[in-house]
Amino acid sequence: MAINNAHPSVKQFARKSQLLRIFRKLKPMFFFLAGLVLFPQFMSAQWNATIGAQSQDLGRQGLAFLPNEIWIHAGDSITWTMVPAEPHTVTFLTAGQVIPPFTEGCPGFSSGSATFDGTTCATSPLLFQGEKFSVVFPRAGNFKLICLIHRNMTGTMHVLEPPESLPHDQAFYDRVAQEQSKALLADEDASALKHQHPENGVMVGNGEIVATGGGYHSVSVMRFGDPEITVHAGDTVEWTNEDPITPHTVTFGTEPQDPVPPSSNVTVDADNARHGVLNSPSDSVHSGFIQSAPQDRIGLEQAPSGITRFRVTFRKPGIYPYICALHDVLGMKGKVIVLP
Ligand SMILES: [Cu+2]
């Protein structure tokens, strides 16, 4: 039928049915767009954040969720990407849950992604450089984020109901992450040079805790202050950990299976410092964890003072290499040269 020559009502009908056909074709798209306008909660967003920062020589580690405070809508997800060589976890415990050891998870681990609404804990396994972990937050709430390995590495995720507006966009968080990462790595207070040490004294790491509105960051210098020190036979060298949280070890010879306790040939001096004696460069001695005391909290039993010092007396000349059993992969190694 030639529509142009047809009766007006026939033309109208043809146009209507044409429109109807177009509408039918576009109907799914139309309802989808209308749905997004009327119910924005169905349009879940995906946010990005990073974990950790490090200096080029790996010696300075920013132990931090960057940024550590993010506002999102219920239904949104956040993907964390690992920057440093030092491993971390992305962990959301339930309110009041006792922090479990990282080897056990909370208990167990989610691989790749998890959902967290505050009722059941969720944790990634140890995450290594370049790995990602995503968490979907289906319900509104304010949720604390922790790393199971590092104390004072915390954050807060604010999950809001969709009618509430979000204060920041992804570009803001990217900028904050970059600035905080730079600030942590540039922190001058966490510097070996600022601290005075007695003769034959070696600093074993150093660090600082930084608070933000969302929680804590910390920076740790994973290095021996004087990586090479020269003494004489009969001298004693003293190592002191000045990091507020990170444990380190001073390990000569064979590395023990469990790095936490000292080796059996270590005694304790009157001032609570651990002490070992080496008769030859082929002997082994291990400090165990030397670490500052955990932070005290009112209402909880006070923590005992930390065991932060380790001394070694060198009986014979020689070259004595040593490592921190926890951070040697980051380059935390030293050497004692013992002259006659
Ligand atoms: Cu260490």
Side-chain angles (χ1 to χ4, degrees):
M1 179 168 64
I3 291 173
N4 281 345
N5 300 329
H7 190 270
S9 64
V10 175
K11 263 195 223 170
Q12 252 174 357
F13 175 76
R15 252 190 231 120
K16 258 190 200 163
S17 60
Q18 205 171 9
L19 281 175
L20 210 66
R21 271 201 303 275
I22 292 169
F23 176 72
R24 273 203 196 110
K25 262 190 195 159
L26 294 179
K27 201 164 71 173
M29 177 72 82
F30 171 79
F31 279 115
F32 178 71
L33 291 174
L36 290 185
V37 172
L38 296 172
F39 307 101
Q41 61 267 41
F42 293 132
M43 198 170 70
S44 54
Q46 209 267 299
W47 301 81
N48 294 301
T50 49
I51 310 173
Q54 67 186 4
S55 60
Q56 215 156 23
D57 70 352
L58 314 184
R60 195 172 273 241
Q61 291 287 328
L63 310 168
F65 295 104
L66 299 165
N68 68 352
E69 194 173 25
I70 302 177
W71 285 258
I72 63 170
H73 279 142
D76 289 359
S77 65
I78 305 176
T79 298
W80 282 271
T81 302
M82 273 287 292
V83 172
E86 173 80 355
H88 297 287
T89 71
V90 169
T91 304
F92 290 91
L93 299 182
T94 53
Q97 185 177 350
V98 173
I99 298 171
F102 74 87
T103 44
E104 283 172 21
C106 70
F109 302 95
S110 307
S111 80
S113 64
T115 298
F116 184 74
D117 65 5
T119 58
T120 313
C121 74
T123 185
S124 73
L126 289 195
L127 295 173
F128 295 92
Q129 199 161 27
E131 290 187 329
K132 288 174 189 290
F133 190 75
S134 300
V135 180
V136 182
F137 298 89
R139 280 229 301 256
N142 297 289
F143 303 119
K144 184 175 178 177
L145 165 63
I146 65 166
C147 167
L148 287 180
I149 307 177
H150 302 100
R151 303 284 71 76
N152 297 101
M153 178 170 167
T154 70
T156 307
M157 303 300 116
H158 305 286
V159 183
L160 311 181
E161 290 295 355
E164 303 246 22
S165 63
L166 300 180
H168 307 297
D169 60 9
Q170 181 66 53
F172 171 85
Y173 293 122
D174 292 348
R175 209 163 51 240
V176 169
Q178 212 166 32
E179 279 163 14
Q180 289 180 337
S181 159
K182 226 163 89 181
L184 278 176
L185 296 179
D187 197 309
E188 293 238 336
D189 294 336
S191 161
L193 303 171
K194 281 208 151 189
H195 299 254
Q196 294 299 314
H197 288 273
E199 211 187 335
N200 297 350
V202 179
M203 184 198 74
V204 184
N206 176 298
E208 194 169 87
I209 300 167
V210 181
T212 72
Y216 295 109
H217 293 158
S218 75
V219 59
S220 281
V221 179
M222 312 281 196
R223 283 293 180 271
F224 294 106
D226 281 303
E228 193 176 307
I229 183 169
T230 303
V231 298
H232 291 275
D235 283 353
T236 297
V237 177
E238 179 183 277
W239 284 266
T240 308
N241 184 354
E242 291 176 8
D243 192 292
I245 28 176
T246 303
H248 295 289
T249 78
V250 174
T251 307
F252 288 87
T254 312
E255 220 176 308
Q257 280 271 305
D258 179 3
V260 181
S263 52
S264 57
N265 55 347
V266 169
T267 56
V268 179
D269 288 346
D271 64 358
N272 227 11
R274 290 178 183 162
H275 199 150
V277 175
L278 284 176
N279 291 309
S280 128
S282 59
D283 284 356
S284 297
V285 72
H286 170 70
S287 65
F289 275 19
I290 49 172
Q291 187 174 19
S292 63
Q295 284 163 14
D296 284 323
R297 272 166 60 190
I298 289 173
L300 295 183
E301 190 184 320
Q302 73 168 352
S305 292
I307 295 176
T308 54
R309 291 209 167 84
F310 184 54
R311 298 183 183 120
V312 175
T313 302
F314 296 87
R315 296 266 186 242
K316 297 264 164 60
I319 294 171
Y320 295 75
Y322 66 94
I323 59 167
C324 166
L326 298 176
H327 306 114
D328 52 333
V329 287
L330 301 175
M332 192 163 177
K333 296 173 181 186
K335 192 191 283 178
V336 180
I337 298 163
V338 182
L339 303 173

